[in-house]
Amino acid sequence: MLRFVSYDIVFQEVPGETTLAIHLSNCPNRCKGCHSPSLMEDTGEVLDETALTDLMKKYGQAITCICFMGGDAAPQEIEQLAAFVRRTTQNRLKTAWYSGKQHIPATCSCRHFDYIKLGPYMEALGGLDSAQTNQRFYRIKGTEMIEISACFRKTER
């Protein structure tokens, strides 16, 4: 069962989108240097279709994307919720998933997502804004994953 501990409107996690980021608990990855170690605990409110509908109604036209931040303990539930968002909004809202895993689980498909971030946080390599990062951010087109990680890096002038 998925649980969320918080949510916020963000502008940097998904380029070009006004995103409702939902922070999920029970993270199994245990990344050293994690910025949110409290998300390793199984706490918070249940995230199901009812809770997601309430959040979508609350923010209405103010958002263009919903991003599931975590959920690696229940990837099939994340995929089901992404499909629900697409179906109920008739594809108006984009969907994104920030996973700490290296690969999409074999039991899941990327077809219900517009964006996926893969890779555990490695403190020495930094996050998506670092040229050395192991993390990758993809734009999904059909079944193709197009890496667009470089869009997070500031260019020097």
Side-chain angles (χ1 to χ4, degrees), residues 6-8 10 13-14 18-24 47 52 63-70 78 85 94-99 113 115-117 137:
S6 63
Y7 56 87
D8 202 1
V10 296
E13 278 71 6
V14 181
T18 303
T19 302
L20 175 63
I22 303 172
H23 305 278
L24 302 167
L47 182 63
L52 197 51
I63 59 173
T64 62
C65 183
I66 291 183
C67 184
F68 301 98
M69 307 293 284
I78 293 293
V85 168
K94 293 182 178 144
T95 57
W97 180 21
Y98 265 56
S99 170
F113 297 98
Y115 303 95
I116 296 178
K117 190 276 305 176
F137 191 82

Side-chain angles (χ1 to χ4, degrees), residues 82-100:
F84 172 77
V85 168
R86 286 197 162 178
R87 186 173 59 253
T88 59
T89 68
Q90 298 177 330
N91 293 318
R92 183 188 74 77
L93 288 179
K94 293 182 178 144
T95 57
W97 180 21
Y98 265 56
S99 170

Side-chain angles (χ1 to χ4, degrees), residues 14-98:
V14 181
E17 304 294 339
T18 303
T19 302
L20 175 63
I22 303 172
H23 305 278
L24 302 167
S25 66
N26 200 23
C27 181
N29 298 320
R30 309 293 192 256
C31 301
K32 183 179 182 228
C34 174
H35 64 77
S36 302
S38 62
L39 294 179
M40 294 176 194
E41 299 172 29
D42 189 12
T43 61
E45 297 177 47
V46 172
L47 182 63
D48 57 13
E49 291 179 359
T50 301
L52 197 51
T53 297
D54 290 345
L55 288 171
M56 289 188 293
K57 284 180 183 175
K58 181 176 182 176
Y59 289 100
Q61 299 294 317
I63 59 173
T64 62
C65 183
I66 291 183
C67 184
F68 301 98
M69 307 293 284
D72 289 326
Q76 290 174 309
E77 289 182 55
I78 293 293
E79 183 179 9
Q80 290 169 355
L81 288 177
F84 172 77
V85 168
R86 286 197 162 178
R87 186 173 59 253
T88 59
T89 68
Q90 298 177 330
N91 293 318
R92 183 188 74 77
L93 288 179
K94 293 182 178 144
T95 57
W97 180 21
Y98 265 56

